[in-house]
Amino acid sequence: MNIEEFRWYCLGKKGVTEELPFGPDTLVFKVMGKMFALVALERHPFQANLKCDPEKALELREVHEGVIIPGYHMSKVHWNTLYLERLPPNLVQQLIDHSYALVVAKLSKKLQAQLQDS
């Protein structure tokens, strides 16, 4: 999956915005103001950080050794870094969905209702 495909997939999810809060080199995707994905724009090969359930994160790192690694500059427990072009696009989409769902589940009931209504 290339960077544009990743971007459009994230933006296609309900309530998602994109920002550059850490400077021009890191694109951040948020749902209702909470981060669920980050992309390093100047790194090659392209990399993205996605939130992940801790047990699933460890499993993914074992199965995809060297391609899915502990989150770069993030909590190593809750975030993974993916080398996007080295993974099947459907797996990347599943992991984006997982990250998004984890963040939505932690939103307040009020924010979840707003997301549902948007």
Side-chain angles (χ1 to χ4, degrees), residues 93-108:
Q93 289 175 348
Q94 290 172 16
L95 296 176
I96 292 168
D97 294 345
H98 176 68
S99 181
Y100 177 89
L102 285 174
V103 172
V104 168
K106 295 287 184 176
L107 294 174
S108 68

Side-chain angles (χ1 to χ4, degrees), residues 79-92:
W79 290 84
N80 279 335
T81 296
L82 289 67
Y83 288 89
L84 295 177
E85 295 165 334
R86 296 183 190 166
L87 292 166
N90 65 331
L91 176 60
V92 175

Side-chain angles (χ1 to χ4, degrees), residues 9-26:
Y9 190 80
C10 288
L11 290 174
K13 304 192 100 22
K14 197 171 201 178
V16 172
T17 58
E18 62 182 337
E19 302 175 14
L20 296 165
F22 305 119
D25 297 336
T26 306

